[in-house]
Amino acid sequence: MRNNRVVMKRRTFLKGAGIDLALPWMETFAAKGESQDKLARFVSIYHPDGVGLPRQDDPAWKDWSWFPQGGERDFRLTKVLDVLEPLRNDITIYSGLSHPASRKVHGHSNADQYLTGAATGSEGPYKNTISLDQVIAEEFGRHTRHSSLVLSTNAGTGAPRATHTSSFDQQGRPIPSISRPKEIFDLLFVTQGKETRDKLARSKSALDLLIANVNTLNRKLSSHDRETLQQYLDAVRDTEIKLHRAEKWIDTALPEVDARHLNLEVTVRDSRAYVQTIYELIYLAFLSDSTRVATYMMGRENSGGPQDLLARAVGLNNAHGLTHEVKKPNGWRNLGIYNRFQAEEFGRFLQKLKDTPEPNGNGTLLDNTFAMHGSASSSFHLSRNYPIISAGGKNLGFKNGRYLKFSRDENLQSNAGIDDDSGWRSDIEHYELPLAHLFVTILKRVGIETNEFAGYKGTLDRV
């Protein structure tokens, strides 16, 4: 190291470059004015297909309804979420929140807007906006090698209204997700020395040539084609920025990471081990301060992808199909058991964060992390009353151990018990609050000064 005081520059996400790992937060390397108190992280876990929501007069309601029963502090967790009981004082469960622009969008098409709040619609022209995690990443990325870690079971971007990623950039473009544990680990923790430097140089040369050719082409195009080309150039500029940031980190040393306990070749066919490995990689990324922002999309909405194999973790098949079979014998129970698996693995991840002291001594990893787990559907194909759990964030001002209700439908019976499309087509009977108010609260608590998200102003009361 050439001097004793190195300022940590903004990081980059350069897929496939094999860049080395950032050191944990250390006061020696802090940028001028950066204090321990500013350390904060954000992670969002998205699960598709919603949750079980039987009617109150159904025998399954007592045990297999996803939402708790009772009041703000004296709530009772059903069998779906009781795996989180040891973390009761570290979690908050919400009901009555959703994005107004999507409340009448079919559940197969609603995941794109979960972290954006955009009016992506059910059909026709498509336009998305920046996701919550990327707003945070733009700020936090100044301190880490990777501004964010974007993961999913399906990989890639998917298609409009059939996204494989929760993360969208400043222009509303989907950010490609990674699914293979070995690829994720190599991105975070593997250095390739001269090979990496040569690959970076080749990428820069190719980009310079591309930009020169595009500028020449631009003079020959119609106005419509110029607009199309401009959208393409925006993506090219993003790549240019990433390459520039990668240069600043290429000589940064990295600590060794012990991965002997990880099976980096695990696939979704070994579903429980796969999900646990994804969570472990997020944990290692946070612990090493490689990034402070992560998203993991457990699966796309609708069926037909590898996410359907996740139900094997509890001896069931076709995860999406469980939502269509709730009226069959043990239907609500089977969906509840699958939702319980999702909660159990989230809880395992939270416990590990809670058990790990911060390298800077300021509490635990969980104390400085706002972890969010949820879906854009509640009952069958219904884009309302999102089932959301948050955890951690004690040092960020979040007070947990509560069940917060924001709907006037006290027992959440509106459209409960449905197994057809009558729900999402129905009129909105009960008042719900915009989820964007929670997002504004999150942004403020992690240190980003704003009072608006997705066109909605103000924070969420009682959080």
Side-chain angles (χ1 to χ4, degrees), residues 34-186:
E34 182 186 359
S35 69
Q36 294 182 12
D37 293 334
K38 288 188 177 181
L39 181 61
R41 304 179 193 84
F42 172 82
V43 57
S44 170
I45 311 298
Y46 183 88
H47 66 90
D49 305 321
V51 297
L53 193 57
R55 290 196 58 80
Q56 195 168 355
D57 56 5
D58 190 306
W61 179 79
K62 181 176 182 293
D63 288 337
W64 299 112
S65 182
W66 188 91
F67 288 96
Q69 295 156 15
E72 180 174 330
R73 294 284 184 180
D74 63 348
F75 60 89
R76 182 185 72 86
L77 298 173
T78 69
K79 289 183 178 180
V80 183
L81 297 184
D82 65 4
V83 288
L84 296 175
E85 187 65 43
L87 291 158
R88 183 185 184 96
N89 292 329
D90 300 296
I91 63 171
T92 296
I93 301 169
Y94 307 79
S95 64
L97 298 177
S98 58
H99 290 307
S102 298
R103 287 174 182 161
K104 297 200 74 172
V105 171
H106 190 284
H108 287 181
S109 307
N110 61 8
D112 300 51
Q113 51 78 53
Y114 177 65
L115 290 183
T116 72
T120 52
S122 298
E123 58 186 3
Y126 176 91
K127 174 66 176 174
N128 214 332
T129 54
I130 190 170
S131 54
L132 173 66
D133 62 298
Q134 291 305 300
V135 176
I136 298 172
E138 287 185 355
E139 174 65 23
F140 289 8
R142 294 183 294 118
H143 309 297
T144 59
R145 179 182 299 283
H146 301 283
S147 65
S148 67
L149 189 61
V150 180
L151 311 178
S152 79
T153 302
N154 298 72
T157 60
R161 305 184 185 93
T163 185
H164 291 183
T165 176
S166 294
S167 303
F168 293 79
D169 68 14
Q170 187 71 248
Q171 285 74 42
R173 293 189 301 263
I175 298 175
S177 60
I178 314 174
S179 65
R180 293 192 304 112
K182 180 65 163 60
E183 185 178 1
I184 299 165
F185 183 85
D186 287 352

Side-chain angles (χ1 to χ4, degrees), residues 229-284:
L229 182 62
Q230 184 59 49
Q231 295 174 358
Y232 175 73
L233 283 174
D234 288 339
V236 170
R237 289 191 183 96
D238 286 348
T239 302
E240 189 175 23
I241 292 170
K242 292 170 184 176
L243 289 170
H244 178 66
R245 292 172 180 169
E247 281 188 299
K248 296 182 179 182
W249 285 93
I250 201 165
D251 292 320
T252 302
L254 69 159
E256 292 185 6
V257 175
D258 186 357
R260 287 177 296 179
H261 64 296
L262 292 176
N263 177 8
L264 295 176
E265 302 300 333
V266 69
T267 70
V268 70
R269 292 185 178 278
D270 187 358
S271 48
R272 187 178 292 272
Y274 174 81
V275 171
Q276 289 177 359
T277 301
I278 293 295
Y279 273 124
E280 180 71 10
L281 289 166
I282 297 172
Y283 166 79
L284 290 173

Side-chain angles (χ1 to χ4, degrees), residues 248-425:
K248 296 182 179 182
W249 285 93
I250 201 165
D251 292 320
T252 302
L254 69 159
E256 292 185 6
V257 175
D258 186 357
R260 287 177 296 179
H261 64 296
L262 292 176
N263 177 8
L264 295 176
E265 302 300 333
V266 69
T267 70
V268 70
R269 292 185 178 278
D270 187 358
S271 48
R272 187 178 292 272
Y274 174 81
V275 171
Q276 289 177 359
T277 301
I278 293 295
Y279 273 124
E280 180 71 10
L281 289 166
I282 297 172
Y283 166 79
L284 290 173
F286 282 175
L287 179 63
S288 63
D289 207 24
S290 298
T291 188
R292 299 178 186 177
V293 180
T295 58
Y296 171 44
M297 190 171 191
M298 296 188 76
R300 73 173 193 181
E301 294 293 351
N302 207 344
S303 59
Q307 78 278 355
D308 276 342
L309 299 177
L310 292 178
R312 291 184 176 185
V314 289
L316 299 170
N317 293 307
N318 190 353
H320 178 79
L322 297 175
T323 64
H324 290 257
E325 298 172 352
V326 293
K327 296 298 181 66
K328 294 183 178 180
N330 291 321
W332 289 116
R333 177 181 180 274
N334 289 342
L335 179 56
I337 288 174
Y338 179 57
N339 291 151
R340 177 186 172 92
F341 153 69
Q342 296 166 336
E344 181 180 16
E345 295 308 327
F346 182 57
R348 191 189 310 275
F349 169 67
L350 297 178
Q351 189 65 55
K352 192 152 191 175
L353 294 178
K354 184 177 180 178
D355 291 342
T356 305
E358 283 284 4
N360 65 13
N362 188 17
T364 68
L365 294 188
L366 187 61
D367 290 336
N368 298 295
T369 301
F370 184 87
M372 180 175 169
H373 185 286
S375 179
S377 294
S378 55
S379 195
F380 186 84
H381 293 170
L382 187 67
S383 304
R384 304 170 204 168
N385 187 31
Y386 299 171
I388 293 175
I389 307 168
S390 71
K394 176 182 175 182
N395 289 347
L396 308 177
F398 290 96
K399 301 184 185 305
N400 293 306
R402 297 187 294 163
Y403 172 33
L404 299 179
K405 305 176 187 179
F406 296 99
S407 172
R408 292 176 184 167
D409 181 11
E410 178 66 21
N411 293 314
L412 307 178
Q413 291 299 287
S414 177
N415 294 306
I418 58 174
D419 63 348
D420 57 38
D421 284 340
S422 61
W424 74 272
R425 295 180 186 277

